[in-house]
Amino acid sequence: MLADDRQAFGTLVEAYQPRLRRFFMNLTLGDEYLSDDLAQETFIKAYIELRSFRGMSKFSTWLYRIGYNEFYSHKRSMHETSDISTLVAQPVSEAGTAASEAQMDVKVALSHLSEIERTVVTLFYIDDLPMKNIAVITGMNQSTLRSHLHRAKEKMTKMLKTDQL
């Protein structure tokens, strides 16, 4: 029976790992190693706490909530030793193509957002989650999240327009 549980959890990891890793890549501004570490820690915690999942929300929402907490826990621990704002977007390896340049522009624009704005933008636009799920993940009410999303869109629009000129 334990082997079945491990196999079932392995299936969940395979299904959600790319989305969770992308979520962390956006929050960490492209730090692949940190994103992988955070994703691994999230899955370990999810495995340990799997019995606490009550099914009151989707599994992905529950998993993102664990990941969100893991990111901010890491951020708090790093804040004690260094300044988080020194994170820099990693360059895209395929520079030269229009798609790569657009991705880089978006990464740079994301780097100018606060962590919560970056989180909301990532979950809403990239992961296509509804506001009610983002509210569960972040523990914030939907009107506050809409305000963060609105400010983030304004900042990114301004940043992308100035970069284009």
Side-chain angles (χ1 to χ4, degrees), residues 94-119:
E94 303 166 357
T97 67
S100 295
E101 289 173 6
Q103 287 176 341
M104 191 58 164
D105 289 344
V106 170
K107 282 184 180 184
V108 170
L110 282 171
S111 73
H112 286 83
L113 302 179
S114 69
E115 279 87 6
I116 190 60
E117 290 167 343
R118 200 165 42 248
T119 299

Side-chain angles (χ1 to χ4, degrees), residues 30 45 48 51 99 107 124 129 152:
K45 286 188 179 179
I48 292 168
R51 292 176 193 225
K107 282 184 180 184
F124 188 76
L129 295 178

Side-chain angles (χ1 to χ4, degrees), residues 21 24-38 74 87-90 107:
R21 189 173 181 278
F24 287 130
M25 286 289 287
N26 285 309
L27 291 181
T28 64
L29 301 173
D31 186 331
E32 292 182 39
Y33 297 112
L34 180 56
S35 296
D36 289 343
D37 287 348
L38 291 169
H74 171 77
L87 290 174
V88 191
Q90 299 293 318
K107 282 184 180 184

Side-chain angles (χ1 to χ4, degrees), residues 5-145:
D5 288 347
R6 287 183 181 156
Q7 185 176 8
F9 191 76
T11 302
L12 290 173
V13 170
E14 287 177 19
Y16 291 100
Q17 186 175 27
R19 287 187 276 178
L20 190 63
R21 189 173 181 278
R22 182 181 61 228
F23 172 65
F24 287 130
M25 286 289 287
N26 285 309
L27 291 181
T28 64
L29 301 173
D31 186 331
E32 292 182 39
Y33 297 112
L34 180 56
S35 296
D36 289 343
D37 287 348
L38 291 169
Q40 183 177 11
E41 287 298 318
T42 299
F43 282 115
I44 289 169
K45 286 188 179 179
Y47 184 77
I48 292 168
E49 298 295 324
L50 194 55
R51 292 176 193 225
S52 72
F53 177 62
R54 302 278 183 245
M56 297 179 81
S57 63
K58 292 170 51 178
F59 178 79
S60 61
T61 302
W62 181 74
L63 185 64
Y64 273 105
R65 177 67 186 177
I66 294 170
Y68 176 81
N69 289 339
E70 191 62 30
F71 173 74
Y72 282 97
S73 178
H74 171 77
K75 181 184 167 206
R76 279 189 299 276
S77 71
M78 292 305 294
H79 187 62
E80 295 170 4
T81 60
S82 68
D83 184 12
I84 281 295
S85 66
T86 60
L87 290 174
V88 191
Q90 299 293 318
V92 178
S93 61
E94 303 166 357
T97 67
S100 295
E101 289 173 6
Q103 287 176 341
M104 191 58 164
D105 289 344
V106 170
K107 282 184 180 184
V108 170
L110 282 171
S111 73
H112 286 83
L113 302 179
S114 69
E115 279 87 6
I116 190 60
E117 290 167 343
R118 200 165 42 248
T119 299
V120 176
V121 166
T122 299
L123 292 172
F124 188 76
Y125 289 112
I126 297 172
D127 293 324
D128 201 28
L129 295 178
M131 276 294 176
K132 66 179 183 174
N133 290 15
I134 298 170
V136 171
I137 292 167
T138 62
M140 296 180 184
N141 67 49
Q142 291 184 38
S143 60
T144 302
L145 291 171

